[in-house]
Amino acid sequence: MVMRLAVRLLAGLMVTSAAMAAPLKLITFPIPPLVRISDHQAPSGYALNVIHRMFELAGDDYELDFQPEKRAIRSATEAPNTCVFPIDRSQEREASLSWIGPVSISRHGFYSHPDRPLTIRTLADARPYTISSHLGSGLGEYLQSLDFRMHLASKNHLGLLMLNAGRVDLWISDTRSAPILAERLNLRLNAPELVFFTTLRSLGCNRQTSPERLQALENALLAMYSSGELQAILDLEP
Amino acid sequence: MKFSPVSFALLATLPLVGLAEPADDAIEHWLSEEFQPSSLSRDQQRAELNWFAQAAAPYRGMTIRVVSERIDTHAYEANVLARAFTDITGIQVIHEVTGEDDLVKKIQAQMDTGLNIYDAYINDTDFIGTHYRRGKTLALTDYMSGAGADVTLPSLDLDDFIGLAFGTAPDGKLYQLPSQQFANLYWYRHDWFSRPDLQQQFEDRYGYALGVPQNWAAYEDIADFFSHQVREIDGQRVWGHMDYGRTDPSLGWRISDAWLSLAGAGDPGLPNGLPVDDWGIRVEGCHPVGASVVRGGAMDSPAAIYAVETYIEWLQRFAPPAAYDMTFTTSGEWVAQGQVAQQVFWYTAFLPALTGPNSRVQNDQGEPLWRVAPSPRGAYWVPGMKSGYQDAGGWTLLRNTPPDRLAAAWLYAQFTVSKTVSLRKLLLGLTPIRASDIHSKTFGDRALALGGLVEFYRSNARNIWTPTGTNVPDYAALSGIWWQQVGRAVRGEVSVADAMSNMASLVDAELAQLAHKSDRRCAPRLNSPEPRATWLARPGAPKPAMDTDVAPQTLSYEEAIKQW
């Protein structure tokens, strides 16, 4: 209770000139359960909830837009007052955006076809195989830079379809998203052969965004962590 | 070399309670197939691995997650040692390998959020000032004698580690146990430098012998010679200098690791310079008091500006155009292509690329065409100052890790640095951590192939090439300022003087913020600003502008490495 009160007080203090500025344009993309987007319902998902609460605490405002992940990243890189979430923060991307996060910790796994299981004990074991991921995936780009045999589909679920059709040996996906996508596509999916990498999913904003505005959002997010408000949302898998 | 027969006698007497046969099989398999050579006898290795199998029994079936930066040594740990550890102990290890800045962001996130993201980190000891101050990091000294006593390897032999001081805080406690170390050394093509025709051409043009440069003036002449005079060797374009300039986090540590310190921006005194260190931060007692000249620091001093101006000028004048868009990783491997004559500071972590099958810098017998030597120094450098940078990646445990996960991670950490595996790891990754390995006959036998690395690590030089020190109170928060400001200067958006002034102001502002955090030990206490001229007139750093046009000096390789 005391902590909640502290957060509210902090929120009050954080209402700054940001409230007077034009809303930031936030671009996101479907990545359930972090962000769910459908034609019939308002967008939802726990990463969206985190973002919404963070803006609320900071006394700032945003407008939501939707684009495929790769295009969303490019838009935020090029357009002022534009941000993208929840994307993998990585050293390769560090200089192109200003970052606030993490809004989610993602574990990523190698998935094999249920009828063609593979033994993957370390990342090196995956090197002989063809692997699907999707455009905009920080991890897909990372493995590509390490000369893994990557196929980057335009959307995450297409990577799963490639696995199902036998066009690749492995699919990499956020372990929270993978079973949801498989269920939606009515496809069988085993547990990942190996959960091999962790990324900090964050909000990445155009580099020209006001540092004071970003600092207020960052402070709000840290306050959410300190208060325990985010603990349930970001409950980590072991 | 320190050998501890008592520890192994103790290991041999431990009852093998509950040690399953698969563990025995795994131990024999890994001893035969991988962990040779070793500074231990086979029986001693077996005893050590048996101890791991026993100590890990309560944690069998657990999966732990650790992370380290992307160099060959850690790839070996992730792909081979993690697998061996799982076979022997039943604890599954996910050992992630990622960019250094990515690792920095992850450990920062765990400290900021309190989430158990990883169970252990191999984090550069550049963070020692952070770990000591924030109180989020487990003091290994306390853990080994307290809650972690039962999972601490009796034959760990801490005295055998060469870099223990780097992971030890001002309170005398060890916070980071080195898993790998590599140095930043001058690198050059010994075969080209030894050619009589090139020696003659160089002497005719510059009036002194082509050799290992002792100062930046000589380095610049040699860079000019190969980039602009020689231009081609054996039909291939060659370059007298190599560096990297992409606006990327690794640009920051290129400058903070070495450029300022070797320019001579700080004060004499090891490991980092006192009272002004190699970042240009002034410290009083254990309290950082400022980075800008007006607060007694040297980050925007004439020496620091000279360092970064030289870095940019050489990048533009002498390096291959592609270097502009390169990073730590891409440039480090580039010298193996055989087009570079010298590099002012080269990270020896990339040695495996030079000795590998695709290297163009070794002869038909596999002997190196290159050598490493002490880096040349800038005009402000004086004896008694650190002579270069050394990276020490140390096992680091955060206090918010659940106890059972902590114990399992500590077991894995010790496994990767145990004497059973460390010599084999050294021969593959070339990043030494143990005196017993460095002084082994096996490592010595590779001296010729390693172009000076063995000599470096067998000398006292390994103590004078030092990591970032304890003056830096929050490495994650401050390191981003370096690459962002230097990047602007590289791109020509601001002058170097303005970039360094901005950088010093931003660092001061960050120090001011840290000063208000009540949970920090040795928190910053900013000096009040005084006129710049006042500080520059006082003895030591920040030093006033001086004439940087000094006489060039070179030495033969044999003479140059006598400094080690």
PDB file of all heavy atoms in Angstrom, chain B residues 197-214:
ATOM      1  N   ASP B 197      64.741  -3.373 -48.024  1.00  0.00           N
ATOM      2  CA  ASP B 197      64.354  -2.306 -48.946  1.00  0.00           C
ATOM      3  C   ASP B 197      63.417  -1.303 -48.270  1.00  0.00           C
ATOM      4  O   ASP B 197      63.561  -0.079 -48.427  1.00  0.00           O
ATOM      5  CB  ASP B 197      63.709  -2.894 -50.212  1.00  0.00           C
ATOM      6  CG  ASP B 197      62.481  -3.738 -49.906  1.00  0.00           C
ATOM      7  OD1 ASP B 197      62.399  -4.314 -48.790  1.00  0.00           O
ATOM      8  OD2 ASP B 197      61.591  -3.823 -50.779  1.00  0.00           O
ATOM      9  N   LEU B 198      62.476  -1.795 -47.469  1.00  0.00           N
ATOM     10  CA  LEU B 198      61.559  -0.886 -46.779  1.00  0.00           C
ATOM     11  C   LEU B 198      62.274  -0.125 -45.666  1.00  0.00           C
ATOM     12  O   LEU B 198      62.003   1.066 -45.447  1.00  0.00           O
ATOM     13  CB  LEU B 198      60.358  -1.654 -46.216  1.00  0.00           C
ATOM     14  CG  LEU B 198      59.443  -2.300 -47.274  1.00  0.00           C
ATOM     15  CD1 LEU B 198      58.328  -3.100 -46.600  1.00  0.00           C
ATOM     16  CD2 LEU B 198      58.838  -1.245 -48.194  1.00  0.00           C
ATOM     17  N   GLN B 199      63.192  -0.800 -44.995  1.00  0.00           N
ATOM     18  CA  GLN B 199      63.968  -0.110 -43.948  1.00  0.00           C
ATOM     19  C   GLN B 199      64.753   1.061 -44.542  1.00  0.00           C
ATOM     20  O   GLN B 199      64.800   2.154 -43.982  1.00  0.00           O
ATOM     21  CB  GLN B 199      64.933  -1.096 -43.272  1.00  0.00           C
ATOM     22  CG  GLN B 199      64.237  -2.102 -42.369  1.00  0.00           C
ATOM     23  CD  GLN B 199      65.236  -3.067 -41.739  1.00  0.00           C
ATOM     24  OE1 GLN B 199      66.340  -3.259 -42.239  1.00  0.00           O
ATOM     25  NE2 GLN B 199      64.815  -3.703 -40.651  1.00  0.00           N
ATOM     26  N   GLN B 200      65.353   0.781 -45.724  1.00  0.00           N
ATOM     27  CA  GLN B 200      66.157   1.817 -46.364  1.00  0.00           C
ATOM     28  C   GLN B 200      65.285   2.995 -46.792  1.00  0.00           C
ATOM     29  O   GLN B 200      65.611   4.164 -46.575  1.00  0.00           O
ATOM     30  CB  GLN B 200      66.893   1.225 -47.575  1.00  0.00           C
ATOM     31  CG  GLN B 200      67.916   2.174 -48.173  1.00  0.00           C
ATOM     32  CD  GLN B 200      69.028   2.508 -47.180  1.00  0.00           C
ATOM     33  OE1 GLN B 200      69.672   1.601 -46.646  1.00  0.00           O
ATOM     34  NE2 GLN B 200      69.241   3.801 -46.893  1.00  0.00           N
ATOM     35  N   GLN B 201      64.149   2.660 -47.432  1.00  0.00           N
ATOM     36  CA  GLN B 201      63.235   3.723 -47.891  1.00  0.00           C
ATOM     37  C   GLN B 201      62.775   4.588 -46.721  1.00  0.00           C
ATOM     38  O   GLN B 201      62.683   5.808 -46.816  1.00  0.00           O
ATOM     39  CB  GLN B 201      61.995   3.099 -48.541  1.00  0.00           C
ATOM     40  CG  GLN B 201      62.193   2.597 -49.950  1.00  0.00           C
ATOM     41  CD  GLN B 201      60.872   1.990 -50.453  1.00  0.00           C
ATOM     42  OE1 GLN B 201      59.798   2.553 -50.307  1.00  0.00           O
ATOM     43  NE2 GLN B 201      60.976   0.813 -51.065  1.00  0.00           N
ATOM     44  N   PHE B 202      62.457   3.897 -45.619  1.00  0.00           N
ATOM     45  CA  PHE B 202      61.955   4.635 -44.456  1.00  0.00           C
ATOM     46  C   PHE B 202      63.034   5.570 -43.907  1.00  0.00           C
ATOM     47  O   PHE B 202      62.779   6.755 -43.660  1.00  0.00           O
ATOM     48  CB  PHE B 202      61.499   3.659 -43.362  1.00  0.00           C
ATOM     49  CG  PHE B 202      60.861   4.339 -42.181  1.00  0.00           C
ATOM     50  CD1 PHE B 202      59.505   4.656 -42.187  1.00  0.00           C
ATOM     51  CD2 PHE B 202      61.604   4.712 -41.067  1.00  0.00           C
ATOM     52  CE1 PHE B 202      58.912   5.300 -41.118  1.00  0.00           C
ATOM     53  CE2 PHE B 202      61.024   5.360 -39.992  1.00  0.00           C
ATOM     54  CZ  PHE B 202      59.665   5.657 -40.020  1.00  0.00           C
ATOM     55  N   GLU B 203      64.243   5.022 -43.756  1.00  0.00           N
ATOM     56  CA  GLU B 203      65.322   5.834 -43.183  1.00  0.00           C
ATOM     57  C   GLU B 203      65.660   7.017 -44.093  1.00  0.00           C
ATOM     58  O   GLU B 203      65.911   8.125 -43.625  1.00  0.00           O
ATOM     59  CB  GLU B 203      66.563   4.975 -42.943  1.00  0.00           C
ATOM     60  CG  GLU B 203      67.673   5.731 -42.245  1.00  0.00           C
ATOM     61  CD  GLU B 203      68.357   4.925 -41.154  1.00  0.00           C
ATOM     62  OE1 GLU B 203      68.131   3.713 -41.087  1.00  0.00           O
ATOM     63  OE2 GLU B 203      69.101   5.527 -40.367  1.00  0.00           O
ATOM     64  N   ASP B 204      65.654   6.757 -45.416  1.00  0.00           N
ATOM     65  CA  ASP B 204      65.938   7.844 -46.351  1.00  0.00           C
ATOM     66  C   ASP B 204      64.920   8.967 -46.212  1.00  0.00           C
ATOM     67  O   ASP B 204      65.253  10.153 -46.312  1.00  0.00           O
ATOM     68  CB  ASP B 204      65.906   7.319 -47.799  1.00  0.00           C
ATOM     69  CG  ASP B 204      67.107   6.429 -48.106  1.00  0.00           C
ATOM     70  OD1 ASP B 204      68.057   6.431 -47.287  1.00  0.00           O
ATOM     71  OD2 ASP B 204      67.073   5.714 -49.130  1.00  0.00           O
ATOM     72  N   ARG B 205      63.676   8.597 -46.014  1.00  0.00           N
ATOM     73  CA  ARG B 205      62.620   9.616 -45.998  1.00  0.00           C
ATOM     74  C   ARG B 205      62.486  10.308 -44.651  1.00  0.00           C
ATOM     75  O   ARG B 205      62.257  11.519 -44.582  1.00  0.00           O
ATOM     76  CB  ARG B 205      61.280   8.977 -46.388  1.00  0.00           C
ATOM     77  CG  ARG B 205      60.159   9.984 -46.492  1.00  0.00           C
ATOM     78  CD  ARG B 205      58.897   9.411 -47.093  1.00  0.00           C
ATOM     79  NE  ARG B 205      57.929  10.480 -47.304  1.00  0.00           N
ATOM     80  CZ  ARG B 205      57.836  11.223 -48.394  1.00  0.00           C
ATOM     81  NH1 ARG B 205      58.661  10.995 -49.397  1.00  0.00           N
ATOM     82  NH2 ARG B 205      56.927  12.179 -48.494  1.00  0.00           N
ATOM     83  N   TYR B 206      62.567   9.538 -43.556  1.00  0.00           N
ATOM     84  CA  TYR B 206      62.244  10.104 -42.236  1.00  0.00           C
ATOM     85  C   TYR B 206      63.491  10.332 -41.367  1.00  0.00           C
ATOM     86  O   TYR B 206      63.401  10.957 -40.311  1.00  0.00           O
ATOM     87  CB  TYR B 206      61.248   9.198 -41.504  1.00  0.00           C
ATOM     88  CG  TYR B 206      59.955   9.051 -42.278  1.00  0.00           C
ATOM     89  CD1 TYR B 206      59.742   7.922 -43.086  1.00  0.00           C
ATOM     90  CD2 TYR B 206      58.970  10.032 -42.251  1.00  0.00           C
ATOM     91  CE1 TYR B 206      58.581   7.776 -43.824  1.00  0.00           C
ATOM     92  CE2 TYR B 206      57.802   9.892 -42.985  1.00  0.00           C
ATOM     93  CZ  TYR B 206      57.604   8.769 -43.773  1.00  0.00           C
ATOM     94  OH  TYR B 206      56.461   8.632 -44.505  1.00  0.00           O
ATOM     95  N   GLY B 207      64.621   9.748 -41.761  1.00  0.00           N
ATOM     96  CA  GLY B 207      65.870  10.036 -41.070  1.00  0.00           C
ATOM     97  C   GLY B 207      66.130   9.220 -39.827  1.00  0.00           C
ATOM     98  O   GLY B 207      67.005   9.561 -39.022  1.00  0.00           O
ATOM     99  N   TYR B 208      65.389   8.159 -39.611  1.00  0.00           N
ATOM    100  CA  TYR B 208      65.669   7.254 -38.483  1.00  0.00           C
ATOM    101  C   TYR B 208      65.179   5.853 -38.876  1.00  0.00           C
ATOM    102  O   TYR B 208      64.523   5.670 -39.907  1.00  0.00           O
ATOM    103  CB  TYR B 208      65.025   7.757 -37.186  1.00  0.00           C
ATOM    104  CG  TYR B 208      63.517   7.903 -37.222  1.00  0.00           C
ATOM    105  CD1 TYR B 208      62.684   6.919 -36.714  1.00  0.00           C
ATOM    106  CD2 TYR B 208      62.931   9.048 -37.761  1.00  0.00           C
ATOM    107  CE1 TYR B 208      61.307   7.063 -36.735  1.00  0.00           C
ATOM    108  CE2 TYR B 208      61.553   9.198 -37.792  1.00  0.00           C
ATOM    109  CZ  TYR B 208      60.731   8.191 -37.275  1.00  0.00           C
ATOM    110  OH  TYR B 208      59.389   8.332 -37.317  1.00  0.00           O
ATOM    111  N   ALA B 209      65.521   4.890 -38.016  1.00  0.00           N
ATOM    112  CA  ALA B 209      65.274   3.487 -38.373  1.00  0.00           C
ATOM    113  C   ALA B 209      63.799   3.114 -38.253  1.00  0.00           C
ATOM    114  O   ALA B 209      63.114   3.537 -37.308  1.00  0.00           O
ATOM    115  CB  ALA B 209      66.111   2.579 -37.489  1.00  0.00           C
ATOM    116  N   LEU B 210      63.340   2.310 -39.199  1.00  0.00           N
ATOM    117  CA  LEU B 210      61.992   1.724 -39.099  1.00  0.00           C
ATOM    118  C   LEU B 210      62.029   0.675 -37.985  1.00  0.00           C
ATOM    119  O   LEU B 210      62.848  -0.251 -38.019  1.00  0.00           O
ATOM    120  CB  LEU B 210      61.625   1.070 -40.435  1.00  0.00           C
ATOM    121  CG  LEU B 210      60.302   0.312 -40.500  1.00  0.00           C
ATOM    122  CD1 LEU B 210      59.123   1.227 -40.202  1.00  0.00           C
ATOM    123  CD2 LEU B 210      60.129  -0.339 -41.880  1.00  0.00           C
ATOM    124  N   GLY B 211      61.174   0.820 -37.020  1.00  0.00           N
ATOM    125  CA  GLY B 211      61.170  -0.113 -35.893  1.00  0.00           C
ATOM    126  C   GLY B 211      59.904   0.065 -35.077  1.00  0.00           C
ATOM    127  O   GLY B 211      58.944   0.706 -35.540  1.00  0.00           O
ATOM    128  N   VAL B 212      59.911  -0.494 -33.896  1.00  0.00           N
ATOM    129  CA  VAL B 212      58.733  -0.406 -33.039  1.00  0.00           C
ATOM    130  C   VAL B 212      58.640   1.029 -32.502  1.00  0.00           C
ATOM    131  O   VAL B 212      59.547   1.489 -31.798  1.00  0.00           O
ATOM    132  CB  VAL B 212      58.825  -1.409 -31.867  1.00  0.00           C
ATOM    133  CG1 VAL B 212      57.633  -1.243 -30.928  1.00  0.00           C
ATOM    134  CG2 VAL B 212      58.890  -2.834 -32.406  1.00  0.00           C
ATOM    135  N   PRO B 213      57.570   1.744 -32.804  1.00  0.00           N
ATOM    136  CA  PRO B 213      57.494   3.157 -32.398  1.00  0.00           C
ATOM    137  C   PRO B 213      57.323   3.289 -30.886  1.00  0.00           C
ATOM    138  O   PRO B 213      56.545   2.560 -30.279  1.00  0.00           O
ATOM    139  CB  PRO B 213      56.251   3.672 -33.135  1.00  0.00           C
ATOM    140  CG  PRO B 213      55.411   2.454 -33.339  1.00  0.00           C
ATOM    141  CD  PRO B 213      56.366   1.308 -33.527  1.00  0.00           C
ATOM    142  N   GLN B 214      58.052   4.237 -30.331  1.00  0.00           N
ATOM    143  CA  GLN B 214      57.971   4.454 -28.889  1.00  0.00           C
ATOM    144  C   GLN B 214      57.079   5.632 -28.549  1.00  0.00           C
ATOM    145  O   GLN B 214      56.729   5.827 -27.391  1.00  0.00           O
ATOM    146  CB  GLN B 214      59.379   4.689 -28.332  1.00  0.00           C
ATOM    147  CG  GLN B 214      60.289   3.498 -28.536  1.00  0.00           C
ATOM    148  CD  GLN B 214      59.701   2.227 -27.922  1.00  0.00           C
ATOM    149  OE1 GLN B 214      59.569   2.135 -26.713  1.00  0.00           O
ATOM    150  NE2 GLN B 214      59.330   1.269 -28.753  1.00  0.00           N
TER     151      GLN B 214
END
